[in-house]
Amino acid sequence: MNLELILFIVLALVAAVTSVMMITRPNPVLAAVFLVLNFFSLAGLYLLLNAQFIAVVQVIVYAGAIMVLFLFVLMLLNTETEHKLFVDKRGIKFFAILISAFVFVQVAYMIFYGRPSRTLTPDEALSIKAGTIQTIGQQLYTNYIIPFEVAGFLLLAATIGALVLAKKKFE
Amino acid sequence: MPQNNYEYFLLMPQIIIGIGIVLSVIIEITSKKSEQILPWFSIAMFLATAVYSILDINRNFVLFGGMIEVGGKPAIFNFIFNIGAALVVLSSIDYLKKYGTYYGEYYILVQSSVLGMMVMSGARDILMIFMGLELMSICFYVLAGINRKKFSANEASMKYFLLGAFATGFIVYGIALIYGTTGSTSIQNLSENFSVYSTNIVFILGLIIFLIGFSFKIATVPFHMWVPDVYQGSATTVTGLMSTTGKAAAFSVLIVVLTAVFGSNTHNIVRPYFATISALSMVFGSIVAISQNNLKRMLAYSSIAHAGYMAIGLAAGNAYSIAGIIFYLTAYAFMNIGAFAIISIVEDENDSRVDLNSFAGLHSKSPILAAMMALFMFALAGIPPLAGFFGKYYVFVSAIQSNLTWLAIVGVLSSVISVYFYIRVVVVMYFKDSVEDFKITISSFSLAAVVIAALFVLVFGIVPDTLMNVITSVIR
């Protein structure tokens, strides 16, 4: 057993367990914390697949920014109403089960019946390589340098805008 | 990636604005009097960029590996954006004190939005279009609600943000479909292989969704619902900026993207779409504007109608019509910025005095303001020999050339309807006694902006060929 396999088993176990824990917790804050753990283990799986950039984005964007948003919403919302929603309206629960079953069947089909071709085409090999931070960085600083610079100004303008709209005491 | 260092010189307009933004931030941090320095700094920056763009008009190149175009059409658009923004800044200097937002940040946001527009007009890659659009829109969302204490400004900012984000979602979805079917974000690739892609239903779907997103941005019926509230609630000078240069930027993108469609030998697939929305916008904008009492709201509906007139050019889709759109956008920028600057002079601290009654008897209070307002109203109505007339003339002629006579007739009819509410303002100013008794304090800076805009409207109206020759020389 090589290290990669051991890491995969550990990360996959964590991901599976935390996702089950997440949907079974009655307390939404606890569920959110388990979701963060799930995101982290998924990021580890991406790293094993040589997709460094997606792994980093997974941690920064999903585990960082989006989860913080989730927690803020949970704090602001009244969790009682959400509880009532599920008890009173059976239709929603049925609908949720239907969608998850659909996604599950789709994923299961892809894993067991989708036949990945033995040999990769050059395009596919290239796209697998593109996951590394080095390739993305190289592209950003050569072909996409102008959009990259504009993105910098976009962030600057957004920061100034947020300051103007949200600073407590202005002048 | 630049082929050589010469490319940086060609990109100078964008670089001037970019460095200017950074310097403005530094001035804002270090200086206590930044709100007095920044307007003049911005105006200098905008004028330098406008002059540089016009001097560079014949050096038309695509730089940085097909990312951005300089010279030619983008140069004319840069001229519109920069002169428009300079006039808006000039008329904002005293208005901001009155409006209660005497901040330096206002000017930095205006500069950033202009950079976004310049990126949009020069874009030769869909990624660039998106970045420029976001840079412009985010600045506009903030500028619309820059006075946090005013409820109407909050409402305008929130509505603009939500519907603008919705439209951006459409645009991104369209881009995703276009990229998915073509495997490239380059517009050159799009126009070269358009006849191949145009048989692909998913590609056409992506293009249509992309156009729907931009129909939000240019404010055409049925994607116009945000316009009246946003234009009414925002600061008046900001409305002048959004309604003219923002519209021009969105049109520049539509022209660049649709050149692929117009240039191909295949059937012009977007004609039914643009003919429909342009006819709807012209009729709806002109009719609803009649019942408006608030001048800002009236100009918002008139702006919908004008977007409709310009969209005639997109439906016609020949070189002459594109030149007509660019001429119309230039004329419209000066007419509308001037009109909004006059409203900002008459307006008082509480957002009132913007309705028709406040303009009653303006002639006796300030003859020059009344004369200028009359000039802009005549120009917007499209009465010769003012610039607005030739804008309409060029797009209507191009419609007839492209066998869209019915659309030109609808356009002429709605122009006739629109004359009613424009001339009503003039009648009220000159022939009615003033209802409210108040004194207007005329800021000399705002008045200078109004006079400069009026001069442009007159010059482009009396000798339209000067501008038209420049525009047609860059369109091939």
Side-chain angles (χ1 to χ4, degrees), chain A residues 142-147 150-151 153-154 156-158 160-161 163-168 170-171, chain B residues 1 11 18 21 64 67 103 105 108 112 115 119 127-128 131 134-135 138-139 142 145-146 148:
Chain A
T142 54
N143 290 340
Y144 293 92
I145 180 71
I146 295 275
V150 177
F153 278 106
L154 176 62
L156 179 67
I160 294 169
L163 193 81
V164 169
L165 290 184
K167 199 178 162 196
K168 207 162 195 179
F170 215 87
E171 311 290 290
Chain B
M1 196 179 181
L11 200 64
I21 292 171
F64 291 88
M67 275 290 162
Y103 314 145
E105 282 86 350
I108 303 179
S112 308
L115 181 68
V119 169
L127 199 59
M128 290 291 285
M131 298 309 296
E134 277 305 275
L135 181 50
I138 281 181
C139 294
V142 179
I146 192 152
R148 296 176 293 172

Side-chain angles (χ1 to χ4, degrees), chain B residues 125-299:
Chain B
D125 193 286
I126 298 179
L127 199 59
M128 290 291 285
I129 292 177
F130 181 66
M131 298 309 296
L133 177 73
E134 277 305 275
L135 181 50
M136 180 190 87
S137 306
I138 281 181
C139 294
F140 279 171
Y141 304 149
V142 179
L143 283 172
I146 192 152
N147 192 337
R148 296 176 293 172
K149 297 195 187 97
K150 286 204 199 303
F151 178 72
S152 59
N154 294 346
E155 183 197 350
S157 178
M158 201 65 201
K159 280 187 177 163
Y160 196 16
F161 172 67
L162 288 177
L163 284 167
F166 188 59
T168 306
F170 266 81
I171 292 169
V172 174
Y173 190 46
I175 290 174
L177 290 183
I178 292 172
Y179 179 66
T181 43
T182 63
S184 157
T185 53
S186 154
I187 289 175
Q188 197 184 353
N189 171 50
L190 204 70
S191 33
E192 276 167 6
N193 304 320
F194 185 75
S195 46
V196 181
Y197 298 140
S198 63
T199 52
N200 190 336
I201 188 78
V202 181
F203 172 78
I204 297 298
L205 191 70
L207 192 66
I208 294 289
I209 292 173
F210 183 83
L211 295 182
I212 288 176
F214 268 96
S215 307
F216 268 96
K217 300 282 174 190
I218 61 171
T220 41
V221 177
F223 314 107
H224 65 282
M225 47 296 201
W226 55 276
V227 182
D229 290 340
V230 172
Y231 284 15
Q232 189 189 356
S234 316
T236 311
T237 49
V238 173
T239 311
L241 187 74
M242 307 195 281
S243 62
T244 56
T245 53
K247 205 186 281 269
F251 265 102
S252 74
V253 168
L254 285 176
I255 289 171
V256 166
V257 172
L258 293 180
T259 333
V261 183
F262 301 150
S264 70
N265 298 323
T266 51
H267 174 60
N268 184 353
I269 46 167
V270 294
R271 173 170 291 173
Y273 175 75
F274 278 111
T276 317
I277 64 166
S278 105
L280 285 175
S281 310
M282 289 185 296
V283 173
F284 177 85
S286 303
I287 290 177
V288 179
I290 290 175
S291 62
Q292 301 304 319
N293 207 24
N294 183 314
L295 276 186
K296 277 165 93 175
R297 216 173 165 80
M298 184 201 97
L299 283 176

